[in-house]
Amino acid sequence: VQLQASGGGLVQPGGSLRLSCVASGLTSDYYATAWFRQAPGKEREGISCITSHNLDTYYADSVKGRFTVSRHTHNNTVYLQMNNLKPEDTAVYYCATTNLGSCYKDYVIERVYDDWGQGTLVTVSS
């Protein structure tokens, strides 16, 4: 599986961005796609997830109510709409997939995910 993440950039606090993750080479219709982020000097954290089959979703408390994950089945693309961005959202954002097929909160961790995109940088600053 190859993943291509895009959509990062520089945005002012309170602004919005939409990240995209295009997947190719998928061999199953049963999987989950998650967004992780890694800020400078911090560990990578799972912030959102969506399943392929029932569109179940997960959000970390840090982004709940501000970020929305969605999936376009036609083109195998997962989006992360990020609104009301804060300086603490500054990080490199990665998308990843797993054949586990669940977005249960305890499964949205690095070691569960098999395939990763290259990351896209989001900078929130005035």
Side-chain angles (χ1 to χ4, degrees), residues 50-61:
I50 187 166
T51 58
S52 62
H53 48 290
N54 61 0
L55 302 183
D56 188 25
T57 58
Y58 160 80
Y59 298 97
D61 288 342

Side-chain angles (χ1 to χ4, degrees), residues 3-4 7 11-12 15 29 32 34 42 51 66 75-76 87 90 98 100 105 109 116 121:
L3 302 173
Q4 181 72 37
V11 63
Q12 292 186 344
D29 291 330
K42 294 189 176 182
T51 58
R66 301 187 296 124
N75 58 9
N76 286 330
T90 295
T98 176
L100 183 61
K105 59 181 179 65
I109 55 175
W116 291 78
L121 176 62

Side-chain angles (χ1 to χ4, degrees), residues 28-51:
S28 171
D29 291 330
Y30 187 85
Y31 60 93
T33 303
W35 287 97
F36 290 78
R37 68 184 182 186
Q38 187 165 22
K42 294 189 176 182
E43 294 185 353
R44 193 172 298 187
E45 63 167 332
I47 59 169
S48 186
C49 176
I50 187 166
T51 58

Side-chain angles (χ1 to χ4, degrees), residues 26-112:
L26 292 164
T27 59
S28 171
D29 291 330
Y30 187 85
Y31 60 93
T33 303
W35 287 97
F36 290 78
R37 68 184 182 186
Q38 187 165 22
K42 294 189 176 182
E43 294 185 353
R44 193 172 298 187
E45 63 167 332
I47 59 169
S48 186
C49 176
I50 187 166
T51 58
S52 62
H53 48 290
N54 61 0
L55 302 183
D56 188 25
T57 58
Y58 160 80
Y59 298 97
D61 288 342
S62 57
V63 305
K64 196 173 296 182
R66 301 187 296 124
F67 291 10
T68 303
V69 65
S70 61
R71 180 172 177 268
H72 195 301
T73 56
H74 178 67
N75 58 9
N76 286 330
T77 301
V78 171
Y79 302 99
L80 186 68
Q81 177 67 42
M82 306 186 296
N83 297 330
N84 190 21
L85 283 161
K86 304 176 181 180
E88 52 263 43
D89 294 317
T90 295
V92 177
Y93 285 69
Y94 302 88
C95 59
T97 60
T98 176
N99 289 330
L100 183 61
S102 171
C103 284
Y104 178 61
K105 59 181 179 65
D106 290 349
Y107 298 157
V108 189
I109 55 175
E110 277 192 83
R111 61 182 176 85
V112 170

